[in-house]
Amino acid sequence: ISGGDLREPLPDLSYSVGADLARKNDFTVIIAIDNTGQVTYAYRSREVDWSLQRQLLRSAWAKYTPSTLWLDSSGPGDVIEGDMRRLGVAVNGVRTNSAIIKTEVIENLIVAIENGYIRIPSEREYPQIAWLWEELRMFERTKTEQGHTYRYQAPEGKHDDGVIALALAAWGFRHILGRRIQLEEKRSRWSTWGDYAALRQSGLRNIGGIAVR
């Protein structure tokens, strides 16, 4: 999982940009990955007004192009999604306040990390993204009150905005990365949703959060 560099966009690659927005209590995070699975850009800030957040989102999308913006459209993100569309941004909203949708998005990220499909620059070489590594290490899975399903979230008092933004960016490439692995003649757990479902049944739900090595 650790490797590669934060870098400027390259003309022969495409990108997926994930964004989790906040105004006061949490952080606004924007993360871009390329179609090889490399995290190339990571932005995090707090108490940014909405007009500036719109500018940041459009700038990241325009810089790392061709790309699609995957935006947490729960809460205020719903309005921002509409604004992005009016600005000509290729955007898809994902409502992570739905437990079902959030589980799919997070478990997709777990598959990507467990299989080495995503590389994040080392926090030693890039201390400015140490917050992302910290969030990944602390992110946890707990059983719901009913006991039949699980909830993915940061521990109380901590943040998971970076994990959500990374998961949204990875969601944009969930099939592309699978095809890349197939072309290398290796079994891809993303090659079909049937494979993905079988993986979940065979033990994915037994791992505690995101296993960061």
Side-chain angles (χ1 to χ4, degrees), residues 161-174:
D161 314 283
V163 175
I164 299 301
L166 179 62
L168 289 169
W171 187 251
F173 278 149
R174 61 194 182 280

